[in-house]
């Protein structure tokens, strides 16, 4: 098992580049070209070894189950499983030393494709089943002004279990040397899941209309938008179809990011808790996912992983140069 960080670079037909490391299968940069100048749109550490002590899931694959699970507990076929607690009594992003903080195995690396995998033993952080996670990164172009990063997860297990990883990059389309203020956000979500004081869903799937969480029409983000909330794109699960969740446009209106997936929801986090090497609000996370705490809320759209039915999820980040 590799215990040192290795960085891989992907490039596409427009010579944009993406960097990914084997530690947490993390996205560390995305360099595009705006007005013939390079612009990095993903927050990262200047020293690659700083990822070993990262507490913000910077660019990481978050999981096995992304987001929060109430009381770090789930029931599968009427059997209770106590999971690792890493946020008070709850679990966040799979617990301590989860997918974000482990070294992944290299399957293969080509110019615009990278495949990484990792296997967690039965009972790791409380999750049943020996479970293998594969992530396939593909970096392509639709046209001279549009780059696509497709992230495809294939997950298998020898027992019925829960899973649902996501990608956790912090985007700053203004360029990471600039303030992240002034982005324009639109969400294709008419509902959201309200949370309690510990950010655990109350169990409701509530309309965003007439609430501060209505981003169905484009809104400029500023420091009054303190988001760390889950927005529901569809209430009936359909993993066969990829659908749009969000668009994010830079303050200078030169670049737009579209976020799509086959997940039913997306977490939007405006980075207000960043500190240390970063400032609060330096980046914005757009994380397609199952709703937080779905296994404990039977009416949330969710699918268990079984030996007979692998889980396959697909996240697409599509970047458009609006001035080309």
């Amino acid at each position: 098992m590799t215990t040192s960080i290795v960085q891989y670079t992907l490039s596409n037909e427009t010579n944009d580049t993406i960097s990914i490391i084997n530690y947490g299968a993390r996205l560390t940069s995305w360099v595009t070209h705006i007005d013939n100048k390079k612009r990095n749109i993903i927050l990262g550490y200047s020293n690659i070894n700083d990822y070993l002590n990262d507490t913000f899931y910077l660019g990481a694959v978050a999981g096995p189950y992304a987001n929060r699970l109430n009381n770090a507990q789930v029931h599968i076929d009427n059997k209770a499983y106590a999971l690792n607690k890493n946020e008070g009594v709850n679990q966040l992003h799979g617990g301590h030393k989860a997918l974000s903080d482990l070294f992944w195995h290299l399957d293969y690396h080509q110019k615009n494709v990278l495949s990484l995998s990792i296997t967690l033993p039965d009972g790791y952080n409380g999750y049943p089943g020996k479970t293998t996670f594969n992530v396939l990164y593909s970096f392509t172009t639709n046209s001279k002004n549009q780059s696509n990063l497709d992230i495809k997860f294939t997950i298998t297990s020898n027992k019925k279990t829960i899973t649902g990883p996501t990608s956790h990059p912090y985007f700053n389309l203004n360029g990471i040397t600039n303030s992240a203020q002034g982005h324009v956000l639109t969400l294709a979500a008419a509902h959201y899941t309200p949370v309690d004081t510990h950010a655990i869903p109350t169990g409701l799937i509530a309309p965003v209309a007439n609430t501060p969480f209505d981003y169905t029409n484009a809104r400029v983000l500023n420091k009054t938008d303190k988001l760390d909330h889950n927005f529901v794109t569809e209430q009936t699960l359909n993993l066969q179809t990829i659908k749009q969740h969000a668009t994010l446009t830079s303050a200078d209106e030169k670049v737009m990011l579209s976020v799509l997936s086959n997940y039913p929801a997306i977490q939007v986090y405006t980075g207000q808790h960043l500190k240390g090497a970063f400032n609060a609000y330096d980046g914005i996370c757009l994380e397609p996912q199952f709703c937080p705490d779905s296994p404990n809320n039977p009416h949330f759209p969710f699918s268990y992983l079984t030996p007979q039915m692998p889980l396959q999820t697909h996240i697409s980040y599509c970047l458009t140069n609006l001035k080309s």
Side-chain angles (χ1 to χ4, degrees), residues 6-243:
V6 179
Q7 182 166 271
Y8 307 97
T9 299
L10 306 182
S11 60
N12 64 10
E13 292 87 341
T14 59
N15 292 318
D16 287 4
T17 58
I18 282 177
S19 295
I20 300 161
I21 58 174
N22 59 336
Y23 183 72
R26 293 170 181 249
L27 291 162
T28 58
S29 70
W30 182 337
V31 178
T32 189
H33 296 81
I34 307 297
D35 296 333
N36 295 316
K37 296 180 180 178
K38 290 183 178 181
R39 183 182 293 191
N40 183 12
I41 61 166
I42 287 181
L43 206 62
Y45 292 103
S46 55
N47 184 338
I48 201 168
N49 289 314
D50 287 346
Y51 285 96
L52 295 172
N53 299 310
D54 171 67
T55 58
F56 305 117
Y57 302 93
L58 216 70
V61 170
Y65 192 86
N67 217 305
R68 293 171 174 88
L69 291 166
N70 189 29
N71 290 320
Q73 181 174 280
V74 295
H75 289 80
I76 302 174
D77 293 337
N78 297 316
K79 181 178 178 179
Y81 291 87
L83 307 180
N84 178 254
K85 300 174 182 179
N86 66 327
E87 192 180 64
V89 299
N90 303 316
Q91 185 184 91
L92 174 65
H93 294 327
H96 293 287
K97 295 293 291 183
L99 297 181
S100 55
D101 296 307
L102 295 170
F103 287 95
W104 291 54
H105 170 76
L106 173 66
D107 298 319
Y108 57 89
H109 176 213
Q110 300 169 358
K111 179 182 178 181
N112 68 334
V113 176
L114 176 68
S115 177
L116 300 170
S117 61
I118 191 169
T119 298
L120 300 182
D122 185 14
Y124 190 89
N125 280 359
Y127 287 85
K130 179 182 179 182
T131 305
T132 297
F133 299 80
N134 171 265
V135 60
L136 178 68
Y137 291 99
S138 303
F139 193 40
T140 58
T141 59
N142 281 347
S143 62
K144 67 177 183 179
N145 68 329
Q146 194 171 78
S147 293
N148 277 340
L149 173 61
D150 287 293
I151 305 172
K152 294 183 178 180
F153 292 101
T154 300
I155 308 157
T156 59
S157 182
N158 63 352
K159 291 183 180 180
K160 186 176 181 179
T161 189
I162 67 162
T163 187
T166 192
S167 184
H168 204 292
Y170 289 75
F171 289 102
N172 182 349
L173 303 185
N174 301 332
I176 63 168
T177 58
N178 299 309
S179 168
Q181 295 297 295
H183 282 85
V184 178
L185 176 67
T186 308
L187 296 176
H191 295 82
Y192 77 113
T193 48
V195 294
D196 64 19
T197 56
H198 299 288
I200 298 295
T202 62
L204 296 177
I205 297 178
V208 298
N210 302 313
T211 77
F213 302 105
D214 189 352
Y215 291 85
T216 54
N217 294 309
R219 285 172 53 180
V220 177
L221 295 176
N222 56 51
K223 290 185 179 179
T224 63
D225 296 276
K226 294 183 178 180
L227 295 175
D228 192 5
H229 293 80
N230 173 66
F231 294 84
V232 182
T233 305
E234 60 180 9
Q235 296 187 54
T236 301
L237 186 65
N238 179 9
L239 292 175
Q240 306 307 310
T241 304
I242 190 168
K243 74 286 293 183

Side-chain angles (χ1 to χ4, degrees), residues 247-321:
T247 60
L248 187 71
T249 305
S250 60
D252 62 8
E253 299 182 342
K254 292 185 176 182
V255 63
M256 179 181 72
L257 182 76
S258 297
V259 185
L260 306 92
S261 89
N262 63 340
Y263 275 123
I266 184 170
Q267 185 85 3
V268 181
Y269 170 46
T270 46
Q272 56 268 27
H273 302 301
L274 287 168
K275 58 184 178 181
F278 310 103
N279 297 313
Y281 303 98
D282 266 0
I284 300 161
C285 297
L286 300 165
E287 310 159 55
Q289 60 177 11
F290 291 124
C291 296
D293 206 34
S294 281
N296 296 317
N297 290 274
H299 57 291
F300 285 5
F302 174 68
S303 177
Y304 288 95
L305 170 64
T306 69
Q308 299 77 27
M309 186 66 68
L311 180 67
Q312 295 181 312
T313 61
H314 180 183
I315 296 170
S316 181
Y317 293 116
C318 180
L319 189 71
T320 303
N321 184 337

